[in-house]
Amino acid sequence: MKRVLGLVCAAAMAVGGVRAGAAEGVGKHTFAVAGGEFQLDGKPFKLISGEVHYPRIDRSQWRSTFRMAKAMGLNTITAYVFWNEHETQPGVYDFSGQKDVAEFIREAGEEGLFVILRPGPYVCAEWDLGGMPSWLLKDKTNPLRTPDERYMGPVRRWLKRLGKELAPLQVGNGGNIVLVQVENEYGSFGKDKEYMKASRAALVDAGFTKAVLYQCDGPTEIPNDQLGDMPVGGNFGPSRKKSEDGTSGVAKNMALYRKNRPVGPYIVSEYWDGWFSHWGGPWINLDPQQQARELEYILTHDSSISLYMFRGGTSFGFMGGANNSGPADYEPDVTSYDYDAVMDEAGRPTAKFFLFRDAIERATGVKAAPMPEAPKLEAVGEAKLTESAALWGSLPKAVKSEHPLTMEDLGQSFGYLLYRTTLKQGFTGTLDLGVMHQYARVYVDGVLQGSVDRRELQHSVEIVAKAGARLDVLVENTGRINFGPKMLGERIGLLTDVSAGGKVLTGWEMFSLPMSDVGAVKFKGDGCTGPCFYRGTLEVAKPVDTYLDTRGLKKGELWVNGRNVGRFWSVGPQGSLYVPAAWWKAGRNEVVVFDLDAAPGRSVRGVDHLVNDFGSGVKVK
């Protein structure tokens, strides 16, 4: 009982709330592991954390999100670092603006929050290739997540550069980073403990020596990769089978975690308080009452916790990943990372927030801080898409090759890749694309013949073509797999030869279409059908948080004032895209869409909510 009271008192000191919007700051502390427990300033300490991803929340909302975390009773924020956000080309780094992860961590500290840092290099997170840059795949033999120098060389270089940004913010240097994770759930990928040692050495060499290093994995996978001399977190989700008190499932997971890790300290380093949704699938919602009971159970059974997620946010642009599940071992994730989290995509507290707040108060005996004002969503009117530009008239210079090259071969990460060749002979029959990642449209002389969708195990279409016809294959990266060994083969485009009636086609031109600068598109007033850009304007009296309803569109991307909001797709379940207030300006705003099935007369309009029950997806309570 004395030990429990000690933990509660320590939590009480650190969970103190923000008053009148003032940042208290965490101050200077010592943080260590002793006697099988975490200790802050030499006293037992329980981390009560929630995950927040800096690229998924506009920078203008970081601080308000932290204040909400304090108001729910959290004393810590957990944060991944996304390598592919910062090193888009080998040796070229960017930590500016939205990518200023050091400022993200400093602001958390100013709001009285410690930080659990998860620097990767692999992070999973339903993020393209699990946060690793796609240029690693240009070498087809690069053995990702192994001690091989072809992988570890770039990893060490990256972590050393990251250390310049973040090592000064460790608790031992007067900052607020108390834990630093070594790799991420490696036991779900492999069993190479030499790799884990190399990963830890890379972090130490990068200067991460003034915080506690730790590992994490699922309770079952812990034996695969634990080194034995670092704390190990356990990752698991809520019980799916209900019991009388609602805690039998979490008790079983905790028991397995402790069995495979007999020595503390204990932290449920990812408690999955929600789940992600796939294009064409249902919207996932879990039982908040069940989760609140499990949260309270964990906190009252000698364990720290990190909620995954506290606020999920949005996988803006092309950054959403894909899971290795479903019939084809491929299910791409929707743009929204709402995650059924404690705070919704737009940063508003959900019913789950208040259930969790009460559970934390009961477990710690500490009254939560007052609630800050929540953001309000508003509809912003309608943008009629009146100007257009056909994709065929917006092509860059081609790269020629006898056989198809992938995006990675061409130094491209995201967007589309157009393959073009001329059919020397007339042909009616099956065009086989072989291995294609991830989604393709096939055209003959500009006429659509059909689509090929990796989700559906498709690889061919029937075509009719005359001799000398132009064959176009437009391939979209709908998100690289971000979990499991299948990541190793996540090159984008045509990975093998294309054949017509069994005969290999050669003599290809390839047009890289990363869609990184829609400002360069030359729009006209006439209509366009098929793969086209469309542009319209939207008048906004004042910048507000809103969603743009995309249910009148088919498949593509949307930009507001040149910033890529994300993907839309009529297969559902997501039918609107979140646009934060900071992306708007008072007055005239430009809205651009690229749609594979564009047509005149369409528009997008503002709505004050997330549409998550559209198309073939069915909302799950």
Side-chain angles (χ1 to χ4, degrees), residues 531-584:
C532 301
F533 296 92
Y534 265 87
R535 182 171 67 180
T537 59
L538 201 156
E539 293 286 339
V540 174
K542 63 177 182 178
V544 294
D545 294 321
T546 192
Y547 280 86
L548 290 181
D549 191 327
T550 59
R551 286 175 289 183
L553 308 176
K554 298 300 183 181
K555 183 170 183 15
E557 287 74 39
L558 184 148
W559 293 260
V560 169
N561 294 326
R563 300 182 70 171
N564 193 333
V565 179
R567 302 181 177 103
F568 57 83
W569 196 354
S570 58
V571 297
Q574 183 175 357
S576 63
L577 293 171
Y578 174 65
V579 187
W583 291 31
W584 299 101

Side-chain angles (χ1 to χ4, degrees), residues 25-31 106 109-110 114 166-178 210-211:
V26 297
K28 293 185 178 181
H29 297 277
T30 62
F31 185 84
R106 281 192 292 267
E110 289 167 1
F114 295 105
L166 302 186
L169 301 179
Q170 296 171 99
V171 64
N173 292 326
N176 58 323
I177 298 174
V178 292
K210 298 300 180 71

Side-chain angles (χ1 to χ4, degrees), residues 120-184:
Y122 162 76
V123 299
C124 188
E126 289 69 62
W127 195 261
D128 189 272
L129 201 62
M132 295 183 292
S134 63
W135 48 258
L136 289 168
L137 299 173
K138 187 168 186 177
D139 177 357
K140 299 180 180 64
T141 65
N142 191 332
L144 304 183
R145 302 180 77 186
T146 73
D148 189 288
E149 186 61 20
R150 286 169 292 177
Y151 176 67
M152 284 305 300
V155 166
R156 284 194 296 271
R157 182 184 69 212
W158 154 243
L159 290 176
K160 185 161 286 191
R161 178 63 185 85
L162 180 65
K164 294 180 180 179
E165 299 289 324
L166 302 186
L169 301 179
Q170 296 171 99
V171 64
N173 292 326
N176 58 323
I177 298 174
V178 292
L179 287 176
V180 177
Q181 184 176 291
V182 178
E183 235 273 359
N184 183 54

Side-chain angles (χ1 to χ4, degrees), residues 18-41:
V18 175
R19 298 293 188 271
E24 295 179 349
V26 297
K28 293 185 178 181
H29 297 277
T30 62
F31 185 84
V33 171
E37 61 190 5
F38 294 121
Q39 292 191 352
L40 182 71
D41 300 329

Side-chain angles (χ1 to χ4, degrees), residues 597-618:
D597 294 302
R602 292 177 179 166
S603 63
V604 294
R605 62 185 179 88
V607 293
D608 61 2
H609 60 282
L610 166 67
V611 176
N612 62 1
D613 55 359
F614 169 62
S616 60
V618 178

